[in-house]
Amino acid sequence: MARIVMKFGGTSVADLDRIKNVARHVKREVDAGHEVAVVVSAMSGKTNELVGWVQGMPKVIGANSPFYDAREYDAVVASGEQVTSGLLAIALQAMDINARSWQGWQIPIRTDNAHGAARILEIDGSDIIKRMGEGQVAVISGFQGLGPDNRLATLGRGGSDTSAVAIAAAVKADRCDIYTDVDGVYTTDPRIVPQARRLKKIAFEEMLEMASLGAKVLQVRSVELAMVHKVRTFVRSSFEDPDAPGMGDLLNPPGTLICDEDEIVEQEVVTGIAYAKDEAQISLRRLADRPGVSAAIFGPLAESHINVDMIVQNISEDGSKTDMTFTVPSGDVEKAIKVLGDHKEKIGYDVVQNESGLVKVSVIGIGMRSHAGVAATAFRALAEKGINIKAITTSEIKISILIDGPYAELAVRTLHSCYGLDKN
């Protein structure tokens, strides 16, 4: 017998038939004698609809926020998960399974006060553990918790993944299964490279890089939590037959295991290729090369919640002037330029330039730590295809390369092939 947390995303619970199918997945684990908690997202498209309703309401007079009130926004958008948890509990009860729904505040899942993008601070799992021990299935609304102001707080997009991993850590689960519309984590996007392979295992660090660099399988924060708390996490498909052979395998169910590096016996040099579209490059020309100039640039951007990624600095021959180039999401370009303009006098640049429509392609693998020449292989392969590199950043386990948008798919295919990821 094991303790398992199962999470089902929006496409897995998109309608009543799919919710009934999810109930079959849960029943399989209950019948095997496991203690089970289930975390659910809102039905597919429902959160967007709820957000649209909020945006359609009049703003508070003088408010700069696009929403009415962050606390009321949370009250509205969190209702989608509440509906799903109740419906799944009803479906399980119809199968003669003892189940009840839980909202974030009932557990409680304690969060900070950042409504709309709250972070989990602590979870008291004692009541759920007690109920699970009595044979009851806990069906938990994901994406939500209770803020210090005693108001409901949501965790941001993809927050149900974070809820599931955090609950798995709180109840000391043996496994956290993330059910989605794909059957695991692949070496790259199979829509671009049909030869992409499903990975049997991937290390937490690699998955964190994959998630942060463009892979949409898991939310970044959920991977961070899994890594910190050593939560063994499986990515699985909810669309496979719940009773298919192997689906009930406790140790090696179908899907991809995200685990500690020590569990991976044979480590590949490169595990996967990720890409992120809609990157933009901003360049500040002829800055004074003096202490504090970087803080003057990136401090105000951080305060405005603009995520800066690749940073390249070029210093003039006499050392008096420098150019600073960095990337931001394309949607933040206008906001970033305005922030830089507001601080132009303090920063001291001559001109600001920007270019949108770029793509960041990343090579990821823990095996890179102990192998030389990984970067050179990428540069050579892209050069042979006539792909120009605009910027490069590296870490122990990843190389990120900025290129023009039209070359994205060619670059992904080229890198996937040059590292032998096409081969079984």
Side-chain angles (χ1 to χ4, degrees), residues 5 7 39 120 123 159-171 173 176 178 218-219 221-227 229 231 233:
V5 173
K7 182 265 175 179
V39 177
I120 295 173
I123 298 176
S160 292
D161 286 348
T162 304
S163 299
V165 173
I167 288 166
V171 302
C176 180
I178 306 291
L218 284 176
Q219 194 228 31
R221 178 64 181 144
S222 69
V223 185
E224 290 176 346
L225 279 174
M227 183 165 65
H229 296 285
V231 177
T233 304

Side-chain angles (χ1 to χ4, degrees), residues 34 46 82 86 89 95 147 228 300 319 409 411:
H34 303 313
K46 181 56 67 176
Q82 181 173 326
M95 294 177 169
V228 168
E409 294 191 9

Side-chain angles (χ1 to χ4, degrees), residues 9 19 26 69 82 102-103 136 154 164 280 300 302-303 318 327 337 360 364 373 380-381 387 395:
I19 290 174
V26 177
D69 179 313
Q82 181 173 326
W102 295 76
Q103 310 314 313
Q136 186 177 79
T154 63
E303 290 169 6
D318 64 5
T327 62
I337 290 174
K360 178 174 59 182
I364 299 155
R380 184 166 52 249
I387 300 173
S395 74

Side-chain angles (χ1 to χ4, degrees), residues 203-267:
F204 289 124
E205 289 177 272
E206 293 173 318
M207 191 65 235
L208 187 58
E209 293 285 7
M210 294 277 277
S212 63
L213 294 168
K216 305 297 184 186
V217 179
L218 284 176
Q219 194 228 31
V220 174
R221 178 64 181 144
S222 69
V223 185
E224 290 176 346
L225 279 174
M227 183 165 65
V228 168
H229 296 285
K230 306 292 186 188
V231 177
R232 299 176 84 249
T233 304
F234 277 91
V235 177
R236 306 180 62 177
S237 172
S238 63
F239 298 116
E240 293 188 34
D241 184 345
D243 300 317
M247 288 294 286
D249 189 327
L250 177 62
L251 298 178
N252 295 294
T256 299
L257 171 62
I258 306 168
C259 58
D260 196 85
E261 183 180 337
D262 294 341
E263 284 196 54
I264 302 175
V265 180
E266 295 183 16
Q267 296 174 355

Side-chain angles (χ1 to χ4, degrees), residues 107-181:
I107 296 173
I109 298 172
R110 299 284 182 183
T111 74
D112 63 18
N113 214 18
H115 286 276
R119 293 174 73 89
I120 295 173
L121 300 178
E122 63 174 345
I123 298 176
D124 181 357
S126 57
D127 202 6
I128 286 181
I129 290 172
K130 177 176 176 290
R131 299 293 188 94
M132 290 168 71
E134 295 169 355
Q136 186 177 79
V137 174
V139 185
I140 302 165
S141 297
F143 177 61
Q144 60 179 254
L146 186 68
D149 55 0
N150 214 33
R151 299 286 297 269
L152 191 150
T154 63
L155 309 180
R157 288 292 185 176
S160 292
D161 286 348
T162 304
S163 299
V165 173
I167 288 166
V171 302
K172 295 180 171 54
D174 298 283
R175 201 175 77 202
C176 180
D177 292 351
I178 306 291
Y179 285 83
T180 181
D181 54 359

Side-chain angles (χ1 to χ4, degrees), residues 212-214 216 276-282 298 301-302 304-311 326-337 340 354-360 402:
S212 63
L213 294 168
K216 305 297 184 186
K277 294 183 176 179
D278 297 323
E279 294 285 310
Q281 184 173 266
I282 295 176
F298 300 115
L301 292 172
S304 299
H305 306 290
I306 297 171
N307 185 35
V308 174
D309 185 17
M310 310 174 87
I311 302 172
F326 55 90
T327 62
V328 299
S330 289
D332 286 338
V333 171
E334 290 186 12
K335 183 179 178 183
I337 290 174
L340 294 169
N354 71 89
E355 181 181 3
S356 297
L358 305 178
V359 169
K360 178 174 59 182
L402 191 68

